[in-house]
Amino acid sequence: MNISLLLQLVSVLLVANTVLSKRSQPLNPTELAVADAVKDIFVLAGQSNMAGRGGVEGGKWDGKVPPECRSDPCILRLSAELKWEEAHEPLHADIDKGKKCGVGPGMAFANEIRANGSVGLVGLVPCAVGGTRIGEWAKGTKLYTEMVIRASESMREGGTIRAMLWYQGESDTVIKEDAEEYQGKMEKLIMDLRSDLGLPSLLVIQVALASGEGKYIETVRKAQLQLDLPNVKCVDAKGLALEADKLHLTTNSQNQSKCLVLVCYLHIFPLRTWDL
């Protein structure tokens, strides 16, 4: 076997063992009640604008949580330890480690989807990690393996994954080859994820870039907007206000991006027309 392939396989197995070992502790009564409830689950993946940088400046979060992002006992998050808990900002604090997280689109989306007809619990599965390129999410990588494990775990005790919300690509705007290869890699990621989760029609809603780290922003945006797979939708964040770094969405813009994703989702699933 090729040495590099062997090392990659060992790395993946170590990740899987580490993540799954976090599930060894028994559930307490509160966790058992949560586990027994039916959840509408949404996987949140991508890089920093999904992880949330709203209100972050100079490496510090201002701690301001707008009403749209308020906590709700009926909105849960799957923690890094693979346990359901009441969700709150910053949603990705224990996932996007080593970086200061702030407000992202996840909590605002969850509040809106409940207000617009979702019944029962909403389960959010944060997976986004800032500064990552699309190639770092390919099948066999640490990020992909952790995402599949977390998504699978979220369904283990009841619930259905309704969609993956994806906001990523800023880091693929630096090198021309990365930008040009974006569409093919994204399509492969979606097909692999659907296959590994056993969800061949999994809805994927991706956000087209509002910014980027390099000069190939339009190349990546074009790839995102013209991606043509069944049940893959794209909403456009272009024009939304950015933080002073000209890369990350402001808190207000995160709320606006939530609205874009919500409109797309409700267009596909108006209120509760899906089969339970």
Side-chain angles (χ1 to χ4, degrees):
M1 179 182 290
N2 182 280
I3 295 297
S4 63
L5 181 60
L6 179 60
L7 290 174
Q8 185 181 55
L9 178 60
V10 171
S11 176
V12 169
L13 290 174
L14 286 173
V15 169
N17 180 66
T18 300
V19 174
L20 289 175
S21 66
K22 296 176 181 177
R23 232 19 203 122
S24 59
Q25 298 298 318
L27 297 177
N28 62 41
T30 300
E31 290 171 332
L32 283 170
V34 167
D36 288 339
V38 175
K39 292 175 285 293
D40 296 318
I41 300 168
F42 299 87
V43 177
L44 312 176
Q47 56 180 110
S48 55
N49 273 318
M50 178 58 79
R53 297 294 188 266
V56 174
E57 188 172 354
K60 295 181 179 180
W61 178 45
D62 61 18
K64 296 178 180 177
V65 178
E68 298 89 343
C69 302
R70 66 189 180 280
S71 296
D72 183 321
C74 290
I75 299 175
L76 309 176
R77 70 182 289 275
L78 192 69
S79 72
E81 287 72 36
L82 302 178
K83 295 181 179 179
W84 287 111
E85 61 185 21
E86 184 172 330
H88 59 81
E89 297 286 10
L91 197 59
H92 279 76
D94 62 346
I95 301 297
D96 193 10
K97 297 178 180 178
K99 307 177 184 72
K100 181 58 66 175
C101 293
V103 174
M107 285 299 296
F109 172 82
N111 274 298
E112 285 294 323
I113 202 68
R114 275 185 48 76
N116 282 274
S118 184
V119 175
L121 295 176
V122 173
L124 302 176
V125 184
C127 298
V129 176
T132 52
R133 294 176 293 110
I134 187 70
E136 295 177 76
W137 290 89
K139 183 171 182 173
T141 63
K142 179 176 182 289
L143 291 176
Y144 179 88
T145 301
E146 290 182 343
M147 177 170 62
V148 170
I149 290 173
R150 288 177 57 73
S152 299
E153 179 66 23
S154 74
M155 297 184 288
R156 189 169 70 90
E157 294 158 340
T160 302
I161 296 179
R162 300 300 182 187
M164 177 177 78
L165 312 183
W166 177 265
Y167 194 163
Q168 186 276 335
E170 293 90 345
S171 293
D172 290 281
T173 65
V174 178
I175 300 173
K176 184 179 181 181
E177 289 74 16
D178 287 344
E180 291 176 339
E181 294 172 0
Y182 190 90
Q183 183 173 348
K185 290 181 178 179
M186 185 63 193
E187 290 176 347
K188 180 70 163 53
L189 168 61
I190 293 170
M191 291 187 290
D192 285 338
L193 184 63
R194 287 172 168 173
S195 176
D196 288 340
L197 293 180
L199 300 171
S201 299
L202 174 65
L203 172 64
V204 176
I205 302 177
Q206 63 168 345
V207 181
L209 297 183
S211 60
E213 298 175 15
K215 63 181 182 180
Y216 298 104
I217 298 174
E218 289 306 317
T219 303
V220 174
R221 278 178 47 79
K222 181 181 178 181
Q224 293 172 327
L225 291 167
Q226 70 181 18
L227 197 149
D228 186 24
L229 284 178
N231 229 24
V232 176
K233 308 298 177 183
C234 187
V235 296
D236 198 347
K238 188 173 185 178
L240 294 182
L242 303 173
E243 296 281 6
D245 60 11
K246 302 300 181 184
L247 181 63
H248 298 112
L249 298 184
T250 64
T251 296
N252 185 56
S253 290
Q254 288 286 6
N255 287 332
Q256 289 179 268
S257 69
K258 161 268 301 185
C259 290
L260 293 172
V261 175
L262 178 68
V263 168
C264 180
Y265 185 78
L266 291 179
H267 175 73
I268 300 166
F269 297 118
L271 299 183
R272 293 289 293 193
T273 59
W274 54 66
D275 294 327
L276 294 177

